[in-house]
Amino acid sequence: LKPSLEIEPRAKLYSASLRSQRPDSFQMIALLLPVFLGCFPVATATMKTGARSMPAFLQRGSIQSGGQTCPGSPAMMHAKCLMQVSFPSSSCEKVQEEVLGRMRGTNGWTDPHNGGQYTVVSANEAQVHGQRVTGLSPYYTDKFLLSFEVEGSSGCAVTACSESQVTSVLDMSTNYCNLRNLYCGASDGCTVVTSDFSGSYNENYKQCWQREAEKCIAHSQ
C-alpha cells in the first residue's frame, strides 16, 4: 500500500480510475469486501453511523434485524447464527420447558457438542437469554437469545440467535449447534429431557451459513 497521504486523492479519482484501469490492491479490497460479505446471507437492517450505515452483523450490542433479536457481541466481526424455528404442533410453553431443561442439565442431560456448559442468564415466558462455554480448549463463550411467539392455534415460532463474543469468521457450525442442541429430537441423535420434537420442527435460516447438523453431535475423547 502507498503512504496514507495518498488516500484522499485516490478517493477523489476512485470512480474514474475504476472504469479506466485495473484496480490496485487498495481498490481490489474495496471491491472484494462487499462480494465476500455477500457470501453471508446477512440481514438487510443497518445501523446509522453519521452519514454511513453499518451491516447488521457488524453491529455492537443488542440489535434488532428485521424483527429478529440477537444478544450482540463486543467483536466488530464475528460468527453468528440467526434463524427462526417453527414448531407447528407444540406450544411455546412446551418448547421452552425442553430448552430450559437441557440448559439446566435436567435428568443428567449433557451437551452432545463436546460437552459445552450452558448457563441460563435470564428467562421469562417470551425470551430465554443464555450463554455457552465451549467444551474444548481454547474455551470461548457464545451468547444466545431465543424469543418465543405463538404461531397459529397450537404452534410456536422461536427466533433463535447465537453470536460469538470474539473476532471470528469460521465457527465450524458452533453457533448453529448452540441453538439446535436445545430442541433437536431423538431421531437427530439428541437426548431428550421431557419432549421429543423429532420431525416436528422446521428451521428457516436468516443469517446462518455455517449449519452442518452432523457437527452438533461430537463427543470429546
Side-chain angles (χ1 to χ4, degrees), residues 28-218:
M28 186 65 73
I29 293 174
L31 285 170
L32 293 180
L33 184 58
V35 176
F36 172 73
L37 296 181
C39 295
F40 303 84
V42 190
T44 57
T46 57
M47 176 178 68
K48 295 298 182 181
T49 307
R52 302 179 180 180
S53 60
M54 184 179 295
F57 88 112
L58 292 181
Q59 296 178 24
R60 295 171 183 260
S62 295
I63 66 171
Q64 283 201 331
S65 171
Q68 284 77 47
T69 305
C70 291
S73 172
M76 183 62 75
M77 179 175 287
H78 57 277
K80 141 183 194 177
C81 178
L82 170 62
M83 61 181 175
Q84 185 173 67
V85 189
S86 177
F87 298 83
S89 58
S90 300
S91 68
C92 287
E93 180 180 7
K94 187 176 183 180
V95 174
Q96 188 177 118
E97 179 185 29
E98 181 67 21
V99 166
L100 291 174
R102 297 188 191 189
M103 291 179 68
R104 291 167 174 158
T106 303
N107 297 334
W109 187 90
T110 57
D111 175 27
H113 190 200
N114 293 316
Q117 295 296 315
Y118 283 93
T119 300
V120 178
V121 176
S122 64
N124 56 47
E125 63 180 11
Q127 287 188 326
V128 170
H129 183 193
Q131 65 180 36
R132 176 183 175 275
V133 178
T134 54
L136 298 177
S137 178
Y139 300 104
Y140 296 108
T141 298
D142 301 321
K143 293 185 178 181
F144 58 87
L145 193 62
L146 295 91
S147 302
F148 300 80
E149 185 176 353
V150 175
E151 183 177 56
S153 59
S154 60
C156 183
V158 181
T159 298
C161 185
S162 176
E163 295 187 273
S164 299
Q165 300 300 297
V166 297
T167 300
S168 57
V169 176
L170 301 176
D171 72 350
M172 307 303 288
S173 299
T174 295
N175 280 288
Y176 170 64
C177 296
N178 290 345
L179 305 169
R180 180 183 183 274
N181 283 345
L182 295 177
Y183 58 79
C184 53
S187 64
D188 303 314
C190 300
T191 300
V192 173
V193 173
T194 57
S195 300
D196 187 356
F197 301 119
S198 293
S200 61
Y201 65 85
N202 301 297
E203 297 174 340
N204 182 19
Y205 311 106
K206 305 296 183 180
Q207 184 188 340
C208 190
W209 68 279
Q210 299 178 84
R211 52 175 192 266
E212 296 182 57
E214 59 271 21
K215 291 185 177 180
C216 297
I217 310 297

Side-chain angles (χ1 to χ4, degrees), residues 2-14 26 52:
K2 296 182 179 181
S4 58
L5 291 177
E6 293 188 27
I7 292 178
E8 181 63 23
R10 183 196 306 273
K12 293 179 179 179
L13 297 174
Y14 179 75
F26 178 86
R52 302 179 180 180

